[in-house]
Amino acid sequence: MTLLYESARGCWWGARAHCTFCGISERALAFRSKQPERVVQELLDVTARHDTKNVLVVDYILDRRY
């Protein structure tokens, strides 16, 4: 089993300079993300709950703090 995980939405780069090939709408472009500590805890919890280490991160772009 592979779990899909999203730690952020939007795009911090696109909020500054929207790419011409980007599929994110202007309304969804605002970047928001979870705190790094929360991401780690959620990943530990969900992998234990589902007894798997297979996680696919599906963020458009990762937070630079990670």
Side-chain angles (χ1 to χ4, degrees):
M1 171 192 301
T2 299
L3 302 174
L4 303 179
Y5 183 80
E6 185 176 51
S7 65
R9 296 224 172 146
C11 180
W12 55 263
W13 177 259
R16 294 169 33 196
H18 200 175
C19 303
T20 57
F21 58 84
C22 182
I24 305 174
S25 71
E26 290 287 335
R27 291 185 348 197
L29 197 57
F31 186 71
R32 56 243 186 251
S33 66
K34 297 175 182 176
Q35 293 295 319
E37 298 79 14
R38 179 177 173 184
V39 172
V40 170
Q41 191 59 56
E42 285 182 1
L43 287 170
L44 291 172
D45 292 345
V46 76
T47 54
R49 185 177 326 127
H50 296 285
D51 193 29
T52 185
K53 298 293 184 207
N54 296 318
V55 177
L56 181 61
V57 177
V58 296
D59 297 0
Y60 280 117
I61 191 167
L62 292 176
D63 191 321
R64 292 175 284 182
R65 297 176 299 168
Y66 298 170

